Amino acid sequence: MNRAAALLAAALLAAMIAAAPAAIVLDQPYLLFLFQQIAILAIAAVGLNLVLGYAGLPAFGHAAFVGIGAYTVGIAAAESGGTGLLASGWVQVPLAAVLAATIGALIGSVSLRTRGVAFLMITLAFGQMLYYGAVSLERYGGDDGMNLVAPTQFGTFALSRGLGAYVAALIVLLVALYVSFRLSRSPFGAVLRGAAANERRMLAVGVSVFRYRVTAFALSGALCGIAGVLAANHSGFVSPASMGWTRSVELAVMVLLGGAGTTFGPLFGAAAFVLLEEALSGVSEHWRIVFGPLLLLIVIAAPGGIAGLLGRGRNG
Amino acid sequence: MRPLLRLEGVEAGYGAARVLNGVSFDIGASEVVALMGRNGMGKTTLVRAILGLAPWVRGRVLFDGRELRGHPTFRIARAGIGLVPEGRQVFPNLTVRENLDATAANRAKNPAPWTIDRVVAMLPQLAARMSAMASTLSGGEQQMLSIGRALMTNPALLVLDEATEGLSPALRAEIWQCLATLQRQGQSILLIDKHVAAMRGLADRIVILEKGRVAWRGTPDTLTDDVLQRTLGV
């Protein structure tokens, strides 16, 4: 473990925990909103990191899995009217995770038969297929999306905006980071990382790399699906825009910016991305002209991302 | 008794270039077979043909009576063929322990399976380096790791392709020692190396390849200087 990266992650997580009372004391709910956005994007980035980082596969359609999670909540809420079994988080969250994992495994089992640019294009194409699938859901707002009829309910606790939802997002983020940490150090993670270095060599020692990678796709999809549940509740809105290819590229940029294949890289990347976006958008309305090249510059100057800049140890 | 590995008229090559021209020989259970030949005679191509890594293969490759041709590489290796490849080829981005853990297989089939503890007992140089990244190991340590990694697959047949290449005499001696121990434990081995004297000391049988064909086969005590001069130039 890279000590500097672990310290920065601890500081960042401490700041995220401190943001909750700070937002209340300073009466700045936007602070909570911003940090919750970081937490949710970090969870999705942790999911993508399993495939893009550890397995070294350039997947560019992961926003679709976030969308599957979001639409699961949106549709369940719309159909249940916010009451009954379908409105329950105990149903919505597992359903979103299982759906995203299943579709992830299906996409993985097809796209993993290709390599390089073809793989990238197929994952992108699958992502866009799901995007257009969401656009075609006229009953659920089509291209315009839909408002969330009711937040996800865990008994009397509603996963809508506010302190409770923020704490829930933080807990999910901590669990996601822990799962990613444990997976990366397990034989499963070793196979993914070893195959990223040399797939042929891994096959020659008797490992079915394909199965491991499909499993990584499924786990990755599940994490992104759970991020989608949180995102839908966070914004109170579900729309195809959140699952388009630009969103997928943003997630990939977060992983690369923070440090692909490292435990805390996705957290660093999501935080840097959101805070940079926030800072620049406050300066000028043409902030994207600066934002894009700046991200490009950072990724080129620090190919190991923020975790790499801190001195990359074993798995960041 | 049925041989562990049987090669019948194996032909293999790369595109239009044919490297193997009908190689046939057997390896029995608990037998050590040394495969010799000058550079470019097809030794590594034969290993690749056995493991399904050559672009094309014809003839029959039977392992424990089952045809291997047409099966994916990982399944062939999983069937019980542990490869120590030419050039070590450890996973540089994994630690020593992860290199061993990632490839552990076939434990249930084996009454006394290889474990990390058993590998370290056999290759004690790895003990102090378990948490080190494989890329930071010396050449000798990487070779030990490569052998350990192959043993972790609990192979019925261990294939070593130039396992002592580029190593100091002391390290080479350690590897020969290790192979002798494995031989005493009943491990079947297909051995490819350039050190003829050491191979003669270890092997039960020797096969010499020349231009993709078996030019000579026999026991070490029947391998004359004349044959060595004619086939290997030594």
Side-chain angles (χ1 to χ4, degrees):
Chain A
M1 171 70 67
N2 177 351
R3 197 178 165 80
L7 282 173
L8 178 64
L12 194 54
L13 289 167
M16 290 174 86
I17 292 166
I24 294 165
V25 170
L26 300 172
D27 192 25
Q28 290 286 340
Y30 185 67
L31 194 65
L32 217 56
F33 183 86
L34 195 69
F35 274 71
Q36 191 171 348
Q37 196 181 348
I38 292 174
I40 293 167
L41 287 172
I43 294 162
V46 167
L48 175 60
N49 189 42
L50 292 177
V51 173
L52 179 63
Y54 295 130
L57 298 164
F60 276 86
H62 267 56
F65 302 132
V66 179
I68 288 167
Y71 268 91
T72 302
V73 172
I75 293 171
E79 294 301 327
S80 67
T83 56
L85 200 62
L86 267 182
S88 165
W90 303 115
V91 172
Q92 287 183 359
V93 175
L95 188 63
V98 168
L99 269 176
T102 307
I103 293 172
L106 286 172
I107 291 176
S109 58
V110 174
S111 57
L112 284 167
R113 294 173 197 281
T114 61
R115 295 285 175 276
V117 176
F119 174 83
L120 188 152
M121 295 308 293
I122 287 182
T123 54
L124 201 62
F126 272 118
Q128 286 304 97
M129 270 171 58
L130 290 166
Y131 165 81
Y132 286 111
V135 168
S136 68
L137 295 173
E138 290 297 333
R139 183 176 159 85
Y140 304 108
D143 201 11
D144 296 328
M146 62 175 165
N147 287 316
L148 194 62
V149 172
T152 302
Q153 297 278 347
F154 288 93
T156 55
F157 170 69
L159 198 66
S160 53
R161 290 181 200 180
L163 189 62
Y166 178 63
V167 172
L170 270 187
I171 291 169
V172 174
L173 172 61
L174 288 171
V175 171
L177 286 171
Y178 179 73
V179 168
S180 166
F181 172 78
R182 297 293 302 183
L183 278 179
S184 73
R185 277 150 181 78
S186 68
F188 174 80
V191 168
L192 288 184
R193 290 186 290 122
N198 194 324
E199 180 184 352
R200 206 173 159 86
R201 199 177 299 169
M202 195 57 88
L203 292 169
V205 290
V207 179
S208 170
V209 174
F210 180 79
R211 282 186 202 167
Y212 281 81
R213 285 178 169 168
V214 169
T215 308
F217 251 92
L219 289 172
S220 177
L223 271 176
C224 288
I226 292 169
V229 171
L230 295 168
N233 281 281
H234 179 58
S235 63
F237 187 68
V238 179
S239 137
S242 65
M243 54 198 295
W245 70 271
T246 51
R247 204 63 182 155
S248 291
V249 171
E250 282 177 7
L251 281 177
V253 167
M254 285 174 213
V255 173
L256 297 172
L257 185 63
T262 64
T263 304
F264 298 116
L267 172 64
F268 299 154
F273 190 96
V274 172
L275 294 176
L276 208 57
E277 189 180 37
E278 187 64 20
L280 288 174
S281 61
V283 174
S284 164
E285 61 180 294
H286 304 295
W287 60 276
R288 285 183 194 276
I289 295 171
V290 181
F291 190 54
L294 191 63
L295 287 178
L296 203 65
L297 204 66
I298 294 171
V299 171
I300 290 170
I306 296 168
L309 279 178
L310 294 169
R312 189 167 179 152
R314 180 182 167 233
N315 306 336
Chain B
M1 202 169 79
R2 190 166 71 186
L4 183 61
L5 180 74
R6 165 161 283 177
L7 305 175
E8 290 179 8
V10 173
E11 299 175 358
Y14 306 90
R18 180 189 296 229
V19 179
L20 298 179
N21 295 295
V23 174
S24 302
F25 67 88
D26 294 345
I27 301 175
S30 302
E31 191 178 30
V32 175
V33 173
L35 186 64
M36 297 183 185
R38 290 188 179 103
N39 283 342
M41 291 297 141
K43 303 186 296 295
T44 296
T45 301
L46 184 64
V47 171
R48 295 168 71 87
I50 293 168
L51 278 156
L53 288 165
W56 62 265
V57 181
R58 285 196 281 268
R60 298 185 78 193
V61 182
L62 300 168
F63 185 70
D64 206 15
R66 285 173 296 164
E67 176 61 75
L68 293 183
R69 267 191 333 114
H71 289 287
T73 298
F74 79 87
R75 220 178 279 284
I76 294 171
R78 190 55 72 102
I81 300 179
L83 174 66
V84 179
E86 192 177 13
R88 292 144 204 155
Q89 300 196 8
V90 294
F91 297 106
N93 58 339
L94 303 184
T95 65
V96 170
R97 182 178 290 279
E98 286 173 335
N99 263 275
L100 297 172
D101 258 344
T103 54
N106 291 333
R107 286 183 178 170
K109 292 182 194 170
N110 201 319
W114 285 94
T115 60
I116 289 186
D117 287 345
R118 212 179 138 201
V119 165
V120 170
M122 164 82 73
L123 307 163
Q125 296 88 338
L126 297 179
R129 307 283 279 148
M130 292 304 279
S131 300
M133 298 303 284
S135 58
T136 66
L137 301 185
S138 68
E141 288 170 335
Q142 286 193 15
Q143 194 59 68
M144 300 292 178
L145 176 57
S146 187
I147 293 171
R149 189 180 65 186
L151 291 174
M152 286 296 285
T153 67
N154 287 291
L157 174 67
L158 186 63
V159 179
L160 295 107
D161 190 2
E162 308 278 9
T164 66
E165 192 183 21
L167 299 183
S168 69
L171 280 169
R172 278 207 305 270
E174 282 185 42
I175 287 180
W176 292 120
Q177 187 68 43
C178 165
L179 295 180
T181 305
L182 289 171
Q183 184 182 31
R184 280 195 298 277
Q185 292 173 358
Q187 176 70 57
S188 301
I189 300 173
L190 174 61
L191 186 61
I192 298 170
D193 209 282
K194 289 193 171 63
H195 297 92
V196 174
M199 297 233 283
R200 285 178 86 169
L202 192 71
D204 298 308
R205 283 191 302 122
I206 291 171
V207 174
I208 299 178
L209 287 188
E210 200 171 31
K211 293 179 182 170
R213 288 192 176 86
V214 174
W216 187 88
R217 75 183 81 203
T219 55
D221 54 324
T222 59
L223 180 62
T224 61
D225 288 347
D226 179 48
V227 172
L228 283 173
Q229 178 62 41
R230 182 165 46 82
T231 56
L232 304 179
V234 293

